[in-house]
Amino acid sequence: QVQLVQSGGGSVQAGGSLQLSCAASTRPYCMAWFRQAPGKEREGVAYIRGANSTGYADSVQGRFTISRDNAKVTLFLQMNSLKPEDTARYICAASLTYGQCSDGYNYWGPGTQVTVSS
C-alpha cells in the first residue's frame, strides 16, 4: 500500500505560478500528475518514472515541470505561466513496480484544487 499526501494548490491570476507536492509513504517506481476539470474527463498532465524519465501533455509542455526529491518519495509539479484553462483538481498517482507502472497507476491522492483567474 502507498499513501499519497498532497499539498499546494490554491488560486492565482493568469501568468502566475504554483507548486504542488505529493508525499508518498514509500518509494514508488513511477508517479504522475493528473487533473480533472468540472464536466471533463480526467487527463494526464505529466509523469516521472525510473531514473527520472519524464513526459508531459502537449498542453503543459514548456510551462510545467515534474520532479522528485533525491529519495524519490516526494513528487513536485512546478506550474508556471498558468492559464485559466489549467483550472482543475490536480491528483497525484503512483505505482510501486515497473510492471505495475506498465499497466497504469494503482494509488491515488485525494486531489487539490488549482484555480486560475483571467
Side-chain angles (χ1 to χ4, degrees), residues 4-104:
L4 300 173
V5 178
Q6 295 186 222
S7 59
S11 298
V12 67
Q13 288 192 328
S17 298
L18 286 172
Q19 185 181 66
L20 305 181
S21 300
C22 175
S25 57
T26 189
R27 181 174 166 173
Y29 181 81
C30 64
M31 299 184 79
W33 290 101
F34 288 78
R35 67 186 181 186
Q36 187 164 22
K40 294 188 177 181
E41 292 188 358
R42 186 175 63 196
E43 63 172 342
V45 174
Y47 69 83
I48 188 166
R49 60 183 58 187
N52 293 336
S53 171
T54 61
Y56 296 90
D58 289 344
S59 59
V60 306
Q61 181 77 46
R63 299 188 298 121
F64 291 10
T65 302
I66 190 170
S67 63
R68 290 195 286 191
D69 65 348
N70 289 337
K72 292 185 170 61
V73 292
T74 302
L75 179 71
F76 303 99
L77 184 68
Q78 178 65 40
M79 304 183 291
N80 298 328
S81 301
L82 282 160
K83 304 175 181 180
E85 51 263 44
D86 294 318
T87 295
R89 189 164 188 82
Y90 284 71
I91 307 158
C92 71
S95 281
L96 287 176
T97 67
Y98 175 85
Q100 291 174 354
C101 292
S102 298
D103 292 334

